[in-house]
Amino acid sequence: MVEIGKTLLNSGWLAARSTEVDLTGVQLTTTHPPSGPSSPWMTAIVPGTVLTTLVENQSLPNPFYGLENNSIIDIADSGREHYTFWFLTKFPCKLAVNQHVELNFRAINYSAEVYLNGYKRVLGKGMFRRHSLDVTDILSPDGQNLLAVIVHPPDHPGKIPSTGGQGGDHEIGKDVAAQYVEGWDWMTPIRDRNTGIWDEVSHSTTGPVKIMDPHLVSSFFDDYKRAYLHTTVELENRSGWVANCSLSIQVETEVEDNICLVEHLQTQHLSIPPGARVQYTFPEIFFYKPNLWWPNGMGKQSLYDVTISVDVKGFGESDMWHHLFGFRKIESYVDSATGGRLFKVNGEPVFIRGGNWILSDGLLRLSKKRYQTDIKFHADMNFNMMRCWGGGLAERPEFYHFCDVYGLLVWQEFWITGDVDGRGDPISNPNGPLDHDLFLLCARETVKLLRNHASLALWVGGNEQVPPDDINAALKHDLILHPDFEHVNGNLMGKKIVVSGTDPSQYLDGTRIYVQGSMWDGFADGQGNFTDGPYEIQNPEDFFKDNYYNYGFNPEVGSVGMPVAATIRATMPKEGWQIPLFKKLDSGYVEEVPNQIWDYHKYIPYSKPGLVHDQILKYGTPNDLDDFCLKAQLVNYVQYRALLEGWTSHMWSKFTGVLIWKTQNPWTGLRGQFYDHLLNQTGGFYGCRSAAEPVHVVNTTSDELSDIAVEASVWDLEGTCPYYNVHERLTVPPKKTLTITEMKYPESQNPKPVYFLLLKLYHMSDHCILSRNFYWLHLPGGDYKLLEPYRTKNIPLKITSKVSSQDNTYEVLMKVENTSKKPNRENQLNKNIFCLKVGDDSYDDALHKFSHDTTENKLQAIFFQKINSCFLRESNRSRVVEINGADAGVAFFLHFSVHSSEKESKGTEDTRILPVHYSDNYFSLVPGEIMSIKMTFEAPPGVTPRIKLNGWNYCDGLTVL
């Protein structure tokens, strides 16, 4: 008997262009299967796209390198047949009596025919629909099965106008598919339009009765002391006889590492007629004071393990389903004070600070590992929401799993964008895809796929547009809230009264709002007028002005995003290493003229003539790529920290939230990003991390801060401290901004034109630092050019490192001390005792019970081991490095990087090990100050990593480990 459960089919695939294969699907899966990767067959990447496979086999150049995408033929010029491909694999599967097997494609773009052992099945169109084929009767008697799939591109791949533009000629909008693939102002066209088997393929084995699409809902009463788990499942009896079933639900929670406690176990008995599909709702399960799931920065992301199983009398276990579930309540309504949409989780208002997300990779090279890095990066920036933009994907369950784990609320849009569905050049068709029923089918499939995730916060009809009237009306009907989840008079937490008499788990969703578009109902001006943005470099001080943005919640505001020089060298030939020309205009402003490759990669200048002076030139004219990119990181840091600080300074009085456009690029783009496509963070990443911390003079937490102090010190370029002040015994109310005092140094006698400001917020009882913020500032009307000669200062440092490793995973703790001045023990300045922030050690706690593929290990208990508490110390070494220097002063803009060799290459070789998770980077230390930086990463097998420290005063870099 084959074990019950799912088996992934993610290896052993071959692919070939359909026009180069003379055989039929029947022949390929019976008499003439290919023997291996010999022409025209090649090793295929599944899940993946046609372009992914061609690039992996070096049949095409890397479209994300330099201008290579221009050498790849576009589907508009080649015709759809050029990107119509066969994919073929074989798999073992032999059944026992009364077992059933389904072949599952979680998503294909765009349509396909499937052949299994000579039998043909046709898959319907649509990029975001699931396909399950009952193949029980066509499996091979010997257990060896041949599977071939011919995949066709979207029906309307469109053409790319010579001027480029948003969504090309908009033809892709006629299909239910991702719209970004024709190119955007941040993206080059994807030549195959993402054609392929782009998501999970599996076969699943069950007994006579199959479990389908369980729906889990939590409801709360008595101020969250009482909670109920509501569960509805669909069951299908595929046998020819009445199935007498025992249907069980088990809920357990992890109490210690790998030790789980069963909270509830309930079994119900029912009979299902032959061939019938029935819906069954469990009696609600009561919990007293469950561990709640909280967004990032508000508490732990507690997740319960829910298992539903069905046993059939005379057969045994027939099917099992498993999911991690978070008890939480999300409310959302338009705030009367600000006009912005306000979110509450578990009764607590959440000031939204997050980012817009397109997708992880433009070639759909999606993986659990990449998703984990992407989403942990967002959590590391202290963000609490990600918006899945309507021109991209309905994101995958793996994406949502890590959002559950790291506490990122998710705004999920459907596949409508203003540029492709009603606006644009040429003017696009406002009626959406040609097949409205297909759109709604894909939408309902998406809801069922994702609705059990705690992180999913709301559904939105489209980006800067609403769906066509009939689609919009259907979505409003399908996603109507259950009465118990409607927002009434600002309070959902009354007695347990079921208004409708219908269990909420019987709804398609019923727990999350549906908003028709990204600029409606509490977003932007709320009326759908074009009132999001802007998307370019800004004057940092403008973000704090009362008139900067006039509405309560901005769903898109963007800026620059230049990566580090090593990324430019790794992703472009030498012609792309030329920095922009700085063209002085008669107006006094400077226009940046980028090279051709930067222009192709959608570079956003650091100047906006007429409005914003060049922010890089404020630090002096850069002389080469390294200098330009380093100064860009300074600007990135200031730009995004000011953006978030400005928004947060108006928390609740004017704003309820902001989402930055955008957090990353799904290719090697040069704009709007906090980390590049190679997974190296920019300075903006750490500017956001600083500004969005839960306590940042602004208290975004639910707890009052009492008996605290703020220390302010100013440092000049000579290493002296002309200003020092402490404000003691302060109380900061929860969810409030607090004005303490005005820092009067700029108005003092003879203030320095450029100076550093260090602010520390700490508990007076134990000197535990809640927030540390370092600023570099100039007097009004000035610039930072005095920092250029400051680079020659030799500031002494002492760096103590401690390394722990398990296999190829490293945890490194670096303690960095500015030894240019003896610390003054009478003040708080040098006592860097940082308080543990909410979630710092909880991120990895829930990375468990993720993979449940029965062929690997039935219901695996662990997918990732916690690094912090479960490290097996295979190596544990320490090192002290002292950097001598005769000067006193601030060690400015220090940043670590990890490499696979001693020296960082200035050529095309990229020695960096990526990704690396840093507790902080791009940091500065005043004289006598000490800071600890933790970094975790995986090194390639056989490589001993080297860690380098660079900084404004250490341009050549220092190998410190």
Side-chain angles (χ1 to χ4, degrees):
M1 178 180 290
V2 176
E3 194 172 9
I4 297 296
K6 182 176 73 174
T7 301
L8 291 180
L9 301 178
N10 56 6
S11 61
W13 287 84
L14 299 173
R17 184 170 281 112
S18 63
T19 55
E20 298 176 1
V21 177
D22 296 328
L23 301 169
T24 66
V26 173
Q27 291 171 317
L28 288 172
T29 58
T30 54
T31 57
H32 293 80
S35 58
S38 59
S39 184
W41 295 94
M42 64 191 82
T43 302
I45 306 300
V46 176
T49 65
V50 169
L51 203 55
T52 309
T53 288
L54 292 171
V55 170
E56 185 71 19
N57 283 275
Q58 299 183 344
S59 298
L60 291 177
N62 179 1
F64 296 170
Y65 183 84
L67 300 177
E68 295 289 4
N69 195 51
N70 285 332
S71 65
I72 301 174
I73 190 169
D74 192 81
I75 193 171
D77 302 312
S78 67
R80 293 174 67 246
E81 295 78 11
H82 186 75
Y83 289 109
T84 299
F85 264 63
W86 281 104
F87 293 87
L88 187 142
T89 191
K90 55 186 177 181
F91 63 91
C93 185
K94 189 174 183 179
L95 299 182
V97 176
N98 291 324
Q99 284 191 321
H100 298 261
V101 169
E102 286 188 327
L103 184 61
N104 309 301
F105 298 89
R106 206 164 65 182
I108 282 183
N109 192 28
Y110 185 66
S111 60
E113 295 94 53
V114 175
Y115 294 84
L116 180 64
N117 301 328
Y119 293 87
K120 179 181 178 180
R121 299 286 189 271
V122 177
L123 302 185
K125 298 177 181 180
M127 186 174 180
F128 304 108
R129 68 186 295 180
R130 299 176 296 173
H131 307 273
S132 291
L133 306 174
D134 189 341
V135 297
T136 305
D137 296 333
I138 59 176
L139 292 177
S140 175
D142 65 5
Q144 297 301 313
N145 300 280
L146 288 170
L147 170 64
V149 185
I150 185 169
V151 181
H152 304 278
D155 292 347
H156 303 88
K159 295 182 179 180
I160 313 303
S162 58
T163 55
Q166 312 288 74
D169 64 359
H170 316 310
E171 282 292 294
I172 194 69
K174 293 180 178 179
D175 297 330
V176 184
Q179 297 181 354
Y180 80 95
V181 291
E182 281 200 68
W184 225 266
D185 60 3
W186 45 265
M187 183 72 191
T188 193
I190 303 296
R191 299 306 188 189
D192 70 343
R193 307 294 191 264
N194 283 158
T195 300
I197 308 174
W198 68 275
D199 198 9
E200 178 184 284
V201 186
S202 66
H203 65 79
S204 53
T205 302
T206 70
V209 175
K210 175 189 175 185
I211 297 171
M212 294 177 296
D213 293 326
H215 187 196
L216 308 176
V217 173
S218 57
S219 62
F220 298 91
F221 306 92
D222 298 338
D223 197 23
Y224 297 92
K225 294 184 179 69
R226 287 192 295 150
Y228 295 86
L229 176 64
H230 307 262
T231 309
T232 294
V233 301
E234 286 189 69
L235 301 165
E236 183 180 15
N237 180 7
R238 292 185 285 182
S239 74
W241 36 273
V242 174
N244 294 310
C245 303
S246 295
L247 183 64
S248 299
I249 181 169
Q250 177 175 295
V251 184
E252 61 184 22
T253 184
E254 188 176 38
V255 291
E256 262 183 69
D257 301 333
N258 307 334
I259 300 175
C260 294
L261 172 68
V262 176
E263 293 261 354
H264 287 279
L265 175 60
Q266 182 187 112
T267 301
Q268 302 293 320
H269 301 282
L270 65 157
S271 296
I272 307 175
R277 177 182 291 194
V278 301
Q279 179 176 287
Y280 181 80
T281 300
F282 282 93
E284 60 191 24
I285 301 176
F286 171 72
F287 291 77
Y288 183 68
K289 293 185 177 179
N291 298 321
L292 299 180
W293 183 93
W294 291 95
N296 185 36
M298 295 182 69
K300 287 193 172 184
Q301 290 73 51
S302 299
L303 294 170
Y304 286 76
D305 197 342
V306 178
T307 302
I308 299 173
S309 60
V310 59
D311 281 33
V312 175
K313 186 176 181 181
F315 178 83
E317 183 181 64
S318 183
D319 201 5
M320 180 180 288
W321 179 89
H322 175 88
H323 208 283
L324 294 178
F325 180 75
F327 281 89
R328 61 95 182 96
K329 182 70 146 294
I330 295 180
E331 303 171 59
S332 173
Y333 56 92
V334 178
D335 176 43
S336 59
T338 63
R341 182 157 289 276
L342 189 148
F343 289 85
K344 287 185 176 181
V345 177
N346 303 330
E348 297 290 343
V350 184
F351 188 72
I352 298 297
R353 292 175 296 187
N356 285 267
W357 169 266
I358 313 301
L359 69 162
S360 185
D361 177 71
L363 298 188
L364 301 188
R365 293 169 292 196
L366 311 178
S367 68
K368 296 173 184 176
K369 190 172 183 179
R370 175 87 185 202
Y371 273 136
Q372 187 197 5
T373 298
D374 279 318
I375 293 159
K376 189 176 190 307
F377 274 175
H378 286 74
D380 288 345
M381 285 188 285
N382 292 312
F383 282 173
N384 54 27
M385 178 176 277
M386 297 171 72
R387 173 193 173 209
C388 293
W389 175 74
L393 299 183
E395 266 300 356
R396 302 297 88 194
E398 291 78 12
F399 170 93
Y400 276 90
H401 167 79
F402 289 113
C403 288
D404 291 348
V405 166
Y406 291 115
L408 275 300
L409 296 168
V410 183
W411 157 337
Q412 179 66 64
E413 270 170 21
F414 295 110
W415 318 284
I416 295 289
T417 65
D419 297 279
V420 176
D421 298 293
R423 245 190 10 247
D425 181 16
I427 296 297
S428 54
N429 173 21
N431 294 320
L434 296 179
D435 190 337
H436 289 197
D437 288 338
L438 175 60
F439 186 99
L440 290 169
L441 171 64
C442 290
R444 291 163 184 143
E445 288 285 287
T446 298
V447 173
K448 290 179 181 178
L449 182 67
L450 303 176
R451 63 189 178 185
N452 293 312
H453 287 280
S455 54
L456 179 57
L458 75 159
W459 303 103
V460 178
N463 165 63
E464 300 173 345
Q465 181 63 296
V466 298
D469 289 345
D470 59 327
I471 292 179
N472 196 32
L475 289 173
K476 287 180 178 179
H477 176 269
D478 288 348
L479 296 172
I480 190 170
L481 289 174
H482 183 277
D484 287 356
F485 292 83
E486 293 177 351
H487 185 85
V488 181
N489 297 325
N491 183 19
L492 286 168
M493 307 304 301
K495 296 180 180 179
K496 185 174 186 289
I497 303 174
V498 178
V499 179
S500 69
T502 302
D503 190 280
S505 64
Q506 294 177 10
Y507 280 50
L508 180 64
D509 185 330
T511 67
R512 301 172 180 90
I513 62 159
Y514 167 75
V515 176
Q516 61 184 351
S518 66
M519 300 189 299
W520 279 260
D521 303 326
F523 300 122
D525 75 347
Q527 304 299 315
N529 297 304
F530 197 71
T531 47
D532 49 8
Y535 304 92
E536 300 161 300
I537 189 72
Q538 309 287 309
N539 292 307
E541 60 271 20
D542 289 349
F543 293 117
F544 297 87
K545 296 178 179 177
D546 289 338
N547 63 351
Y548 179 72
Y549 187 72
N550 296 323
Y551 310 105
F553 192 122
N554 193 342
E556 296 183 15
V557 57
S559 189
V560 291
M562 190 67 188
V564 300
T567 292
I568 296 296
R569 293 191 178 96
T571 57
M572 297 180 184
K574 287 188 176 181
E575 308 90 85
W577 302 0
Q578 299 299 315
I579 65 175
L581 299 175
F582 296 97
K583 182 180 176 182
K584 188 72 176 287
L585 304 178
D586 293 340
S587 63
Y589 286 87
V590 170
E591 177 187 357
E592 289 186 24
V593 183
N595 66 63
Q596 180 185 11
I597 299 178
W598 284 26
D599 192 53
Y600 189 76
H601 285 253
K602 313 294 185 177
Y603 172 74
I604 287 186
Y606 282 69
S607 65
K608 189 176 182 181
L611 292 174
V612 182
H613 285 285
D614 195 285
Q615 298 295 293
I616 286 180
L617 292 182
K618 290 174 77 73
Y619 294 89
T621 303
N623 51 49
D624 59 17
L625 180 65
D626 291 280
D627 192 23
F628 181 92
C629 290
L630 177 59
K631 288 173 178 172
Q633 302 320 308
L634 286 163
V635 180
N636 292 344
Y637 194 107
V638 170
Q639 185 77 183
Y640 287 108
R641 180 168 65 178
L643 190 161
L644 284 183
E645 286 184 337
W647 239 271
T648 309
S649 70
H650 295 88
M651 179 177 67
W652 310 132
S653 62
K654 184 180 179 183
F655 299 132
T656 60
V658 61
L659 299 176
I660 296 174
W661 183 267
K662 48 195 175 8
T663 56
Q664 48 77 248
N665 282 292
W667 76 304
T668 49
L670 300 181
R671 62 164 57 195
Q673 59 187 356
F674 298 123
Y675 59 96
D676 59 47
H677 193 59
L678 305 183
L679 299 176
N680 196 99
Q681 299 97 326
T682 72
F685 183 104
Y686 296 98
C688 276
R689 179 177 172 83
S690 171
E693 60 186 350
V695 177
H696 186 79
V697 180
V698 175
N699 179 17
T700 66
T701 73
S702 302
D703 298 322
E704 180 181 86
L705 302 176
S706 59
D707 197 32
I708 62 172
V710 174
E711 177 194 70
S713 60
V714 170
W715 297 83
D716 59 27
L717 299 183
E718 286 71 48
T720 62
C721 181
Y723 176 90
Y724 179 83
N725 201 355
V726 178
H727 303 274
E728 296 183 326
R729 309 209 179 282
L730 303 172
T731 298
V732 183
K735 308 288 184 181
K736 295 288 185 182
T737 61
L738 179 66
T739 300
I740 298 170
T741 187
E742 181 181 354
M743 205 275 289
K744 297 185 179 294
Y745 175 74
E747 288 80 36
S748 63
Q749 275 193 330
N750 301 316
K752 300 300 175 67
V754 175
Y755 59 96
F756 304 111
L757 171 65
L758 177 62
L759 298 176
K760 291 184 179 181
L761 180 73
Y762 62 93
H763 284 299
M764 296 192 66
S765 59
D766 56 7
H767 298 103
C768 187
I769 296 174
L770 293 164
S771 176
R772 175 195 181 275
N773 293 280
F774 181 89
Y775 300 83
W776 50 101
L777 302 167
H778 61 72
L779 295 180
D783 56 37
Y784 296 110
K785 290 179 181 177
L786 286 177
L787 284 174
E788 188 65 36
Y790 187 73
R791 297 171 86 160
T792 61
K793 289 271 189 178
N794 296 313
I795 310 298
L797 295 176
K798 181 180 179 181
I799 303 160
T800 305
S801 59
K802 185 175 182 180
V803 181
S804 299
S805 65
Q806 178 187 10
D807 299 326
N808 297 314
T809 300
Y810 287 78
E811 182 184 88
V812 181
L813 186 65
M814 290 282 183
K815 186 171 74 172
V816 187
E817 180 179 0
N818 180 342
T819 57
S820 67
K821 181 182 178 182
K822 294 295 183 183
N824 180 355
R825 299 301 178 187
E826 295 180 359
N827 62 41
Q828 172 66 11
L829 193 59
N830 310 110
K831 300 174 184 176
N832 271 23
I833 310 167
F834 286 94
C835 297
L836 184 68
K837 293 183 175 64
V838 173
D840 275 3
D841 283 335
S842 63
Y843 286 159
D844 295 316
D845 290 348
L847 287 171
H848 65 298
K849 302 189 180 87
F850 179 36
S851 177
H852 304 287
D853 303 324
T854 55
T855 55
E856 296 177 10
N857 182 3
K858 185 178 181 182
L859 294 180
Q860 287 182 8
I862 300 297
F863 178 66
F864 289 109
Q865 291 288 348
K866 292 187 297 179
I867 291 175
N868 291 340
S869 61
C870 298
F871 238 98
L872 299 177
R873 309 294 179 176
E874 289 186 358
S875 67
N876 196 326
R877 49 197 172 95
S878 299
R879 181 179 179 183
V880 177
V881 174
E882 296 200 45
I883 301 167
N884 296 320
D887 296 318
V890 172
F892 183 51
F893 217 52
L894 304 172
H895 51 280
F896 287 106
S897 56
V898 183
H899 298 264
S900 59
S901 63
E902 191 77 23
K903 295 182 178 180
E904 183 178 359
S905 172
K906 296 286 184 170
T908 57
E909 181 188 1
D910 189 2
T911 64
R912 291 173 299 170
I913 293 174
L914 298 171
V916 181
H917 295 278
Y918 299 93
S919 62
D920 205 351
N921 221 352
Y922 292 104
F923 60 99
S924 303
L925 297 175
V926 304
E929 196 176 21
I930 302 171
M931 183 177 291
S932 293
I933 305 293
K934 186 178 76 172
M935 58 192 79
T936 57
F937 56 90
E938 289 185 25
V943 169
T944 299
R946 298 284 180 256
I947 297 177
K948 295 192 65 171
L949 178 68
N950 288 75
W952 193 250
N953 310 100
Y954 315 93
C955 294
D956 293 332
L958 305 159
T959 299
V960 295
L961 184 66

